[in-house]
Structure formats: structure tokens, C-alpha cells
């Protein structure tokens, strides 16, 4: 049997001033799709962050045998906050333009991988098309709508071809049309063989 893509072995996670999910075991295998459902504050986001390697566990261990992509409402806020901080530096250096979407997407590719951009070009162009981003590539990321930036984050996560995509409250802040678009994209990813772990309070 192939090893699990992700194995949580007796983990406990710290959430603010308390410990949650004491001694939890969980294996995520190829071809599986998971939903993590619960009310706000129940620890869904902390679990997703730990599985994605965003925060450490306080007990146990997480073993990963897969490339992991990660998208969340919190990540989107962090991206915009970083862009606002960069705006201050640009102001003092007399730069006006912010980060273009094209550069934001390509930043997901490591410097070592950039030598392979010719091979990735087709993948990049396909993601841009699938996520309806062609007309947005030259725009600054701070000028994108919530739904447009969420689609861009999904495309950026997929640029490195993860086997597992962690999605934390992906639909938060989206209007009905954007929610429908993102839902369709997630269904297509599942059909293509990507394992999805989706955390939501809905």
C-alpha cells in the first residue's frame, strides 16, 4: 500500500491559550476528499494550518509525502497587508505601480524552478485560462476584487502542482457568482485527481 499523502500521528495543537485535538490520528490518502466542518473557534483553521506546515504541533508529528498547496481567507488578508506595507516603501522610492498579478503568480515558483519556466509555461497559461485571469495579469493585486484575488491564490497554489490542496474557509467574503465559480473550479480539481481538504463552518 502506498504511504498516506499526509499522516497526523498523535498530534495536539495549541490554539491561543488552550490545547485542542488531543492525540489526534488522521491519514489522508490519494483519491480521498475531506471536509472539516465545525463552528467558528472549533479549531478547523488550526488543524488545516498544522497539516499544511504553517504552524507546529505541540505533541505528535505530521508526516508529509506530498506537495501541499494552501489557500485561505487569512492568507488573502496577509497578501494584501504585505502589499500595503510595500506601498509605503514604494512611496518613498517614488514607485507608483504595485505588484502585478503576473509577477504575484510567478513568485510562487522558486528561483531554482525558474530555469524550468519553459516547461511550466503551458501549465501557467492553462491555469490563467481556467481561473479566468487572462485580462487581469497586468493589474495590481490590490486592485483585484475579493473573488478575483481568491481565484489568483488558487491558481498560484496550483502552479507547483500539489497533490493535496488545503482550503480554509475558501468561500468567505465571496459574492454568489464568485462562490459558484470557485465551487466549479474545486470540482474540476477533484475530477483531475487532486485531493482536497476543505475546512468550512457552512
Amino acid at each position: 500500500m502506498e504511504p498516506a499523502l499526509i499522516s497526523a500521528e498523535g498530534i495536539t495543537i495549541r490554539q491561543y491559550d488552550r490545547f485542542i485535538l488531543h492525540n489526534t490520528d488522521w491519514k489522508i490518502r490519494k483519491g480521498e476528499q475531506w471536509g472539516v466542518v465545525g463552528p467558528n473557534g472549533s479549531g478547523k483553521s488550526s488543524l488545516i494550518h498544522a497539516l499544511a506546515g504553517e504552524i507546529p504541533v505541540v505533541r505528535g508529528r505530521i508526516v508529509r509525502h506530498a506537495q501541499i498547496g494552501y489557500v485561505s481567507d487569512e492568507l488573502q488578508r496577509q497578501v494584501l497587508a504585505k502589499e500595503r506595507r510595500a506601498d509605503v516603501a514604494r512611496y518613498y522610492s517614488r514607485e507608483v505601480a504595485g505588484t502585478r498579478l503576473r509577477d504575484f503568480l510567478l513568485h510562487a515558483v522558486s528561483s531554482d524552478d525558474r530555469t524550468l519556466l519553459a516547461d511550466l509555461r503551458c501549465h501557467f497559461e492553462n491555469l490563467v485560462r481556467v481561473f479566468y485571469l487572462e485580462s487581469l495579469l497586468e493589474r495590481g493585486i490590490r486592485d483585484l476584487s475579493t473573488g478575483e484575488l481568491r481565484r489568483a491564490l488558487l491558481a498560484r497554489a496550483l502552479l507547483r502542482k500539489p497533490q493535496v490542496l488545503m482550503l480554509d474557509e475558501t468561500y468567505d467574503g465571496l459574492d454568489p457568482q464568485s462562490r459558484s465559480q470557485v465551487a466549479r473550479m474545486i470540482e474540476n480539481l477533484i475530477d483531475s485527481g487532486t485531493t482536497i481538504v476543505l475546512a468550512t463552518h457552512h
Side-chain angles (χ1 to χ4, degrees):
M1 178 183 291
E2 288 185 26
L5 299 175
I6 304 173
S7 295
E9 302 174 358
I11 65 169
T12 299
I13 299 171
R14 181 173 189 145
Q15 185 184 50
Y16 303 113
D17 59 348
R18 65 190 180 111
F19 296 107
I20 61 171
L21 305 173
H22 297 275
N23 200 34
T24 295
D25 293 312
W26 186 14
K27 292 187 185 300
I28 299 172
R29 299 188 182 279
K30 184 176 180 180
E32 295 179 342
Q33 312 298 333
W34 287 89
V36 181
V37 183
N40 287 332
S42 61
K44 303 181 306 298
S45 292
S46 296
L47 175 60
I48 293 295
H49 292 174
L51 292 173
E54 297 290 314
I55 61 172
V57 295
V58 295
R59 295 190 186 91
R61 65 174 188 158
I62 297 175
V63 180
R64 302 173 186 86
H65 292 286
Q67 177 81 23
I68 298 171
Y70 169 72
V71 177
S72 72
D73 186 48
E74 179 184 344
L75 176 62
Q76 185 158 333
R77 288 194 296 270
Q78 291 171 357
V79 165
L80 290 174
K82 182 178 179 182
E83 187 69 6
R84 283 192 293 271
R85 290 193 298 272
D87 281 344
V88 175
R90 293 186 192 108
Y91 173 80
Y92 286 107
S93 64
R94 299 179 181 240
E95 292 180 29
V96 177
T99 304
R100 294 183 311 162
L101 177 57
R102 181 187 301 278
D103 297 327
F104 175 73
L105 294 174
L106 290 176
H107 190 266
V109 184
S110 71
S111 57
D112 291 339
D113 290 338
R114 285 182 183 274
T115 58
L116 304 176
L117 274 181
D119 296 331
L120 289 171
R121 191 178 309 280
C122 182
H123 182 48
F124 174 82
E125 291 174 352
N126 182 58
L127 287 173
V128 166
R129 178 181 54 79
V130 167
F131 285 90
Y132 311 111
L133 299 173
E134 299 103 320
S135 64
L136 306 176
L137 288 176
E138 304 307 317
R139 284 175 57 185
I141 59 172
R142 68 169 177 267
D143 298 324
L144 302 178
S145 70
T146 300
E148 289 167 345
L149 184 51
R150 193 69 50 84
R151 298 200 313 267
L153 286 170
L154 284 165
R156 191 175 77 150
L158 293 169
L159 190 58
R160 302 190 72 174
K161 300 184 179 180
Q163 293 129 299
V164 181
L165 184 61
M166 301 277 181
L167 302 175
D168 181 25
E169 302 295 1
T170 311
Y171 299 108
D172 273 13
L174 299 183
D175 60 42
Q177 180 181 359
S178 295
R179 282 200 298 271
S180 178
Q181 287 177 335
V182 170
R184 258 195 326 272
M185 292 165 186
I186 291 172
E187 289 171 1
N188 291 338
L189 290 171
I190 291 171
D191 290 342
S192 72
T194 303
T195 292
I196 304 290
V197 181
L198 173 66
T200 180
H201 59 269
H202 294 295

